[in-house]
Amino acid sequence: MKNICLLGATGSIGEQTLDVLRMHQDQFRLVSMTFGKNAEKAIPLIKTFQPKYIAVGDMDTYQKVKQASFSHECQIGIGEEGLIEAAVMEEVDIVVNALLGSVGLIPTLKAIEQKKTIALANKETLVTAGHIVKGHAKQYGVPLLPVDSEHSAIFQALQGEQNKNIERLIITASGGSFRDKTRQELESVTIEDALNHPNWSMGAKITIDSATMMNKGLEVIEAHWLFDIPYEQIDVVLHKESIIHSMVEFHDRSVIAQLGNPDMRVPIQYALTYPDRLPLPETKRLELWEIGSLHFAKADFERFRCLQFAFESGKIGGTMPTVLNAANEEAVAAFLAGHISFLAIEDLIEKALHRHSVIQHPSLADIQEVDKDTRGYVNSILT
């Protein structure tokens, strides 16, 4: 029996993690969970899974949960302190970080210090402070297990292999909601258009990131840290069907790919069971004759400018990826609120990157200050 802490229980990854736990109740127990404000969705989950500890985003949500009637005893925390408490509980074996944004960084670091295995679905943790997180994981001997389908695919392809034999990582990308539109056509797209992803069911922020290809850019930076691979050895290829989740090419030109129908429960479960595997009967079996054909295209940096920003920021290093992530989070929030156009997301990110003076070896305090400063700058442009 593995005891699980789930950070971000009401989000898309959180819900699918709970699906896995529900299917394997003899293997996993949810001992702590966190969510932001969606008490209506969370309260039934609390009643079903009966975690010992719950953390919520604010006092209003705390009051809603406090007033609910549960058949078991549980503690309730609030804010970042609550996130940390959930992650460092003594019983916890694995922390699934399914939080949205850079809020996942500190709880992850604290969990590593308590030698909890980290199942990481929160890209921003490594994008914002990859050198600190990896240093922490090495210091405390803690594995970082990828949950993103692309990184899980690479991780699976590398089982039994040696990193010294890697020629390159090939990360696949669906292309998002607007993969078939020209930049001119993007000028008039709506929020509803952007949220209509052709392959995956995800949260609003990640779906917008997919449409801008920032999601793939963040994955490139994450892959750099997870697998210790230079950016020059990471490629992105457009693959509309999302059947091949990523590939690894070795020095002998052999390429190993991981395939499957789009279902996030597969990589989630693999992170929870590694190095073992459990059945997942509810996911659809891949029948290649039903697919018929697979399509690939080279990623165009001029068409997908956010992907270019990510590669450039990663290569510069230091605090530049922190700026990239913070500016993107604020710009996407502004788009979802109807304050800016879709293409203005790129413009805001570019302005934030151009104004920043890089700190090459930032401390955690430096990263937090740069993150705060960048958000303030982007919002000052919006007002």
Side-chain angles (χ1 to χ4, degrees):
M1 181 70 71
K2 293 181 180 179
N3 292 329
I4 308 298
C5 164
L6 177 55
L7 305 178
T10 57
S12 174
I13 297 297
E15 288 185 292
Q16 292 174 91
T17 301
L18 292 173
D19 275 350
V20 172
L21 269 56
R22 192 178 286 111
M23 284 186 278
H24 300 291
Q25 297 180 38
D26 59 330
Q27 300 283 332
F28 305 110
R29 180 166 62 112
L30 185 71
V31 297
S32 61
M33 62 174 269
T34 79
F35 66 98
K37 298 182 179 182
N38 197 339
E40 291 73 21
K41 183 184 286 187
I43 288 171
L45 298 175
I46 296 168
K47 291 180 178 180
T48 298
F49 289 93
Q50 300 187 347
K52 293 183 178 181
Y53 187 90
I54 305 154
V56 301
D58 54 35
M59 184 56 74
D60 287 344
T61 310
Y62 173 86
Q63 294 297 341
K64 290 178 182 177
V65 175
K66 195 74 174 174
Q67 291 166 11
S69 177
F70 302 122
S71 62
H72 73 292
E73 290 186 10
C74 61
Q75 291 180 278
I76 307 174
I78 305 174
E80 183 176 84
E81 184 177 334
L83 289 174
I84 294 169
E85 285 294 325
V88 301
M89 281 185 66
E90 185 176 354
E91 300 100 311
V92 168
D93 299 310
I94 302 175
V95 175
V96 180
N97 184 345
L99 292 166
L100 186 65
S102 57
V103 68
L105 173 59
I106 301 300
T108 298
L109 291 175
K110 296 297 184 182
I112 289 172
E113 290 170 6
Q114 296 301 314
K115 297 191 175 182
K116 312 297 186 185
T117 297
I118 307 297
L120 193 60
N122 174 254
K123 300 175 183 65
E124 295 85 356
T125 290
L126 285 178
V127 170
T128 300
H131 66 293
I132 293 177
V133 177
K134 282 300 295 288
H136 243 54
K138 184 176 180 180
Q139 178 183 350
Y140 290 96
V142 170
L144 299 176
L145 301 177
V147 169
D148 275 342
S149 60
E150 294 82 0
H151 302 101
S152 178
I154 293 168
F155 184 60
Q156 292 180 59
L158 286 174
Q159 295 307 303
E161 301 291 344
Q162 299 182 57
N163 272 30
K164 69 182 182 67
N165 294 328
I166 297 173
E167 183 71 18
R168 61 174 173 154
L169 307 181
I170 306 169
I171 300 175
T172 56
S174 70
S177 312
F178 303 138
R179 61 194 181 193
D180 297 320
K181 291 186 180 294
T182 65
R183 288 194 65 81
Q184 185 175 358
E185 291 172 324
L186 292 178
E187 293 175 1
S188 58
V189 297
T190 66
I191 297 170
E192 291 72 23
D193 293 335
L195 291 174
N196 185 26
H197 194 283
N199 297 355
W200 296 93
S201 175
M202 306 180 291
K205 194 264 183 183
I206 297 176
T207 305
I208 301 304
D209 281 350
S210 180
T212 64
M213 284 282 276
M214 179 59 83
N215 197 45
K216 207 54 50 179
L218 299 179
E219 287 174 8
V220 166
I221 297 173
E222 188 180 6
H224 163 76
W225 288 113
L226 281 172
F227 305 109
D228 296 317
I229 298 297
Y231 290 99
E232 290 77 12
Q233 290 175 247
I234 303 175
D235 282 344
V236 174
V237 62
L238 297 181
H239 169 49
K240 291 183 178 183
E241 292 84 5
S242 294
I243 296 298
I244 296 178
H245 299 301
S246 278
M247 297 171 269
V248 179
E249 181 185 355
F250 297 92
H251 292 326
D252 60 2
R253 295 296 186 256
S254 176
V255 177
I256 297 180
Q258 188 265 338
L259 288 75
N261 281 305
D263 188 336
M264 279 304 301
R265 293 174 299 181
V266 175
I268 291 168
Q269 181 169 295
Y270 187 66
L272 295 180
T273 62
Y274 175 80
D276 200 1
R277 292 181 186 266
L278 291 175
L280 193 58
E282 290 188 14
T283 195
K284 187 177 185 294
R285 172 175 283 170
L286 176 63
E287 306 289 13
L288 287 174
W289 55 84
E290 293 178 0
I291 305 299
S293 58
L294 302 176
H295 300 85
F296 305 92
K298 191 172 183 179
D300 183 348
F301 280 12
E302 291 185 12
R303 168 64 178 76
F304 299 109
R305 295 181 65 218
C306 284
L307 186 57
Q308 181 179 12
F309 295 157
F311 266 101
E312 291 174 349
S313 297
K315 289 176 182 178
I316 292 169
T319 48
M320 195 60 91
T322 305
V323 173
L324 176 83
N325 179 70
N328 179 64
E329 285 187 17
E330 296 303 316
V332 170
F335 171 70
L336 287 170
H339 299 322
I340 61 172
S341 68
F342 180 75
L343 287 179
I345 295 173
E346 297 174 344
D347 297 334
L348 288 172
I349 295 168
E350 186 173 32
K351 288 176 181 178
L353 292 171
H354 282 169
R355 76 180 277 270
H356 181 59
S357 297
V358 180
I359 303 171
Q360 272 302 337
H361 302 286
S363 65
L364 183 58
D366 291 332
I367 288 168
Q368 291 173 319
E369 182 58 35
V370 167
D371 181 271
K372 180 180 177 182
D373 174 73
T374 302
R375 293 174 194 276
Y377 170 72
V378 172
N379 283 297
S380 72
I381 299 175
L382 294 170
T383 55

